Amino acid sequence: MESVDVIVVGAGMAGLTTARELLKKEPTLKVLVLEGKDRVGGRTLTVDVQTANHTTDKFDMGGQWVGRTQKELLALLDELNIDVYEQYEKGKKMAQLGTEKIRSYSASLPIFAAGSFTLYEVIDFVRNIFRMSRMVKKVNVLDAFSWDGAIAADEQSVASFARSIALTRSARDALDIAIRSVYGAEAKRMSLLYHLLYCKSGGSFMDLIEATGDGAQALRIKGGSQQISLRMAAELGDRVRLKSGVKHIETSEGGPTRVTLINGEHLECKRLVLAIPPNQCGHLEFSPPLGYLKRRLYDNMTPGHLIKFIVTYKSAFWREDGKSGEIISAGRTTIPGEILPIVCSYDATTSNGSPAIVGFIHADLHDWTVNERCNAVVKDLVRFFGTKALAEFIAYEEKNWNKEPFNGGCPVDYVTSGNMDAFMSIRDMHYGVHFAGTETAVVWMGYMSGAVESGKRAANEVFYALELKEKVDHKYLRGSQFSVEYHHPHPPSDHYDDYLSPWRRRIFFGAALVFGIYAVSKKYDLSYTARFFRPVEKSVFKWWTGMEWPH
């Protein structure tokens, strides 16, 4: 049986960052990275697509955008000498919200577009964003249930919340589209508390959806995002083993951890890091079994199921027409059951100048063939951009992450309503097993930057567990059980409150007294003074003599 110091499962950005950090600080460690797929990169994938003038260019079919506040990812890009460039967003944007009608706007988001939307719709957009922002500020990423409203938020979905506060169909559609775009999920299936916590980890709800300023879609990576993993894997060399999926994990307190691969091979290590999506952790066999909360977490974290597409063109005609290439669409029409494919899109013209549009397809089209989806997408682009979207068409490429082995979906796993108590255990260790992956991050959870952060946390946990404490960078242990500031998150509680305020009783009996005085005064037609004092006299007389007041 082969034995090493540390095994990392998953050769995505989180797993490769873990291995890289371990070897950077302690080159003598024997580290092995196991990957079930035949490639590295996890939920990043860069492919060659046919472009103008009979050439090809590289496009991202997975994670691709970088935000200016995503410090961990930006630092890694700088280390690897990979450049970024601005996401193109100049010109009019297109939206189909609240009605079949397509409306254009020039603001960064439709909530600020009073010229295209009615004042009532704009006010509804703004008040909903303001209310959500206030709730986000109250959430503690490391202790979600420390907020008084957390239990109620976890008991409802994002969709039910939207219906309770939104006054217009446009506002509800806007939130639905945002949820689909960010998580690849339907708002009706997601815990509101998870959404609020996710927003807090990225800064705010606006930061998740904007392509300007500190927005998550502000920058793109020259040459594609998968090269990050490819370069880290090149540094690790033969320590990375592909086509090595894990089946069984046997661990214990203080003892070695044994790993059984799908092909039957057995390995042993001192510490194991699982840097794979939560839904994939749920497919593994553990001995001893995972604790109740971990098990429930993996049973109830569902991957997003959007399909990503790239359409290349002869020219960036939308720019010439004064459009940014951005679309947001509910996809609904007046025909019951009909759904149009595009959820959102952006200008995907590369740093080399190859014109293209990138976007996401509604999950309801999963069972269509590639050709059917291609035709539907191009037809939908014609709806927004005109006939040039067909006349200048070159190629169509898509990635259905639902069919990706050892992945199950994209861009992120999300939590269903009522399970956020289980989610708070996501970083908790299981004997000799540590957990990484972007869903376990504290800052920019669900994004590439979150994956990098989680890898650094896992590496420092391993140093701590291996008694290499001089190697530990404590700033990366935030949220870890090894952190000096760690405290166990508050569990949700519906306990009885033994203290009952006396003011409730006082108000009740006071109101009863006033009502009684009023009733007596009306019956006997007493003066106002008598109306007040007669009941008092009766009460005092009875208390003093023990007899009833004479009639």
Side-chain angles (χ1 to χ4, degrees):
M1 181 186 296
E2 183 179 359
S3 181
V4 297
D5 293 313
V6 184
I7 291 177
V8 180
V9 180
M13 291 179 64
L16 293 171
T17 297
T18 302
R20 185 171 182 263
E21 287 294 307
L22 289 169
L23 293 167
K24 186 192 297 184
K25 292 185 177 180
E26 187 52 69
T28 61
L29 285 176
K30 293 182 180 179
V31 179
L32 182 61
V33 180
L34 304 176
E35 172 56 55
K37 303 178 187 179
D38 59 0
R39 65 172 182 85
V40 300
R43 284 172 276 191
T44 62
L45 176 64
T46 306
V47 300
D48 291 320
V49 183
Q50 183 183 349
T51 52
N53 302 317
H54 306 288
T55 61
T56 62
D57 209 340
K58 294 188 178 298
F59 293 89
D60 284 316
M61 303 308 298
Q64 75 173 73
W65 285 287
V66 184
R68 289 185 174 87
T69 62
Q70 295 177 358
K71 297 179 180 179
E72 294 298 337
L73 179 57
L74 289 170
L76 179 59
L77 290 171
D78 188 54
E79 284 182 41
L80 299 175
N81 295 314
I82 299 175
D83 295 326
V84 297
Y85 62 105
E86 299 274 344
Q87 168 65 46
Y88 185 84
E89 49 83 32
K90 298 177 182 177
K92 290 185 177 181
K93 303 164 179 60
M94 315 298 289
Q96 185 249 301
L97 302 170
T99 175
E100 276 190 308
K101 180 183 176 182
I102 295 173
R103 295 182 268 191
S104 63
Y105 59 98
S106 299
S108 60
L109 292 171
I111 60 173
F112 306 120
S116 301
F117 293 84
T118 67
L119 181 60
Y120 187 56
E121 287 175 314
V122 172
I123 291 173
D124 197 24
F125 285 143
V126 173
R127 62 181 287 275
N128 292 341
I129 293 295
F130 179 72
R131 180 167 178 179
M132 187 182 296
S133 298
R134 284 191 303 171
M135 296 171 73
V136 168
K137 290 179 181 178
K138 296 177 182 178
V139 175
N140 183 341
V141 175
L142 298 177
D143 194 359
F145 288 95
S146 62
W147 169 43
D148 290 341
I151 294 177
D154 190 34
E155 289 175 349
Q156 63 179 314
S157 67
V158 179
S160 64
F161 169 73
R163 288 188 178 277
S164 69
I165 66 169
L167 303 175
T168 64
R169 175 65 185 269
S170 296
R172 293 200 303 271
D173 282 352
L175 184 56
D176 282 345
I177 294 167
I179 298 301
R180 288 188 194 115
S181 303
V182 172
Y183 307 96
E186 293 299 303
K188 62 186 178 183
R189 301 190 181 104
M190 183 183 299
S191 163
L192 173 61
L193 182 58
Y194 177 74
H195 169 61
L196 297 175
L197 185 144
Y198 197 92
C199 292
K200 185 67 171 286
S201 78
S204 70
F205 177 61
M206 300 294 285
D207 289 335
L208 300 189
I209 60 178
E210 285 194 304
T212 59
D214 292 338
Q217 288 72 235
L219 304 170
R220 294 172 60 195
I221 299 170
K222 288 185 178 180
S225 60
Q226 192 183 3
Q227 65 181 309
I228 301 171
S229 296
L230 291 169
R231 294 190 187 189
M232 287 195 289
E235 291 179 8
L236 297 171
D238 59 5
R239 297 182 183 90
V240 180
R241 296 184 188 176
L242 304 179
K243 299 181 181 179
S244 300
V246 172
K247 179 181 180 182
H248 182 83
I249 296 169
E250 181 182 341
T251 187
S252 62
E253 188 70 51
T257 295
R258 296 181 176 85
V259 176
T260 303
L261 305 188
I262 294 174
N263 61 15
E265 183 181 355
H266 298 280
L267 303 169
E268 186 176 270
C269 62
K270 296 176 182 177
R271 308 301 290 187
L272 174 71
V273 178
L274 289 181
I276 56 178
N279 76 85
Q280 296 299 304
C281 290
H283 295 165
L284 302 178
E285 300 169 4
F286 288 87
S287 179
L290 292 171
Y292 168 70
L293 288 179
K294 277 278 192 185
R295 182 73 263 167
R296 184 154 63 82
L297 171 68
Y298 296 146
D299 286 344
N300 290 282
M301 281 200 80
T302 305
H305 287 143
L306 282 180
I307 304 169
K308 190 173 184 180
F309 72 84
I310 297 285
V311 178
T312 56
Y313 287 102
K314 297 175 184 177
S315 68
F317 60 86
W318 53 93
R319 296 188 183 185
E320 298 167 5
D321 295 339
K323 297 175 181 176
S324 70
E326 289 183 41
I327 295 171
I328 57 171
S329 173
R332 297 298 177 183
T333 70
T334 55
I335 301 174
E338 184 176 32
I339 181 70
L340 301 177
I342 296 178
V343 174
C344 71
S345 76
Y346 294 89
D347 182 309
T349 302
T350 66
S351 57
N352 296 324
S354 302
I357 292 289
V358 61
F360 300 102
I361 300 175
H362 200 288
D364 285 5
L365 276 64
H366 265 290
D367 293 333
W368 292 21
T369 65
V370 174
N371 286 337
E372 286 173 336
R373 283 194 292 266
C374 173
N375 292 335
V377 167
V378 174
K379 185 177 178 181
D380 213 10
L381 288 171
V382 169
R383 182 167 72 108
F384 288 97
F385 295 144
T387 56
K388 290 182 181 178
L390 177 59
E392 299 207 19
F393 171 86
I394 293 178
Y396 172 87
E397 187 74 30
E398 71 170 36
K399 177 64 177 177
N400 186 344
W401 286 92
N402 186 44
K403 297 181 179 180
E404 179 80 356
F406 301 101
N407 200 157
C410 207
V412 67
D413 288 6
Y414 63 93
V415 180
T416 53
S417 298
N419 289 292
M420 281 299 292
D421 58 328
F423 178 78
M424 298 315 295
S425 71
I426 194 166
R427 287 175 291 273
D428 291 356
M429 291 167 283
H430 179 65
Y431 298 101
V433 182
H434 305 259
F435 297 88
T438 186
E439 287 86 355
T440 71
V442 176
V443 180
W444 282 108
M445 175 195 309
Y447 291 80
M448 291 186 286
S449 190
V452 176
E453 180 216 290
S454 75
K456 291 184 177 181
R457 173 187 49 77
N460 281 279
E461 285 182 350
V462 170
F463 283 136
Y464 198 104
L466 293 178
E467 300 295 331
L468 298 171
K469 296 183 181 179
E470 71 281 0
K471 308 289 183 181
V472 175
D473 188 341
H474 286 273
K475 75 178 181 181
Y476 287 111
L477 288 181
R478 187 182 175 212
S480 167
Q481 291 170 299
F482 288 145
S483 172
V484 294
E485 298 177 350
Y486 177 80
H487 70 273
H488 196 276
H490 289 79
S493 177
D494 284 331
H495 64 280
Y496 292 112
D497 191 347
D498 290 335
Y499 174 75
L500 296 177
S501 172
W503 282 105
R504 295 180 182 178
R505 297 191 296 273
R506 290 169 182 172
I507 293 172
F508 173 77
F509 287 114
L513 177 61
V514 171
F515 178 78
I517 292 171
Y518 176 77
V520 169
S521 65
K522 292 293 287 183
K523 179 177 180 180
Y524 296 105
D525 194 23
L526 303 174
S527 67
Y528 285 108
T529 303
R531 290 178 189 180
F532 177 79
F533 284 106
R534 182 60 58 82
V536 175
E537 290 171 349
K538 288 183 177 182
S539 299
V540 172
F541 182 86
K542 184 175 181 180
W543 171 75
W544 185 260
T545 66
M547 297 183 291
E548 294 292 336
W549 184 266
H551 294 286

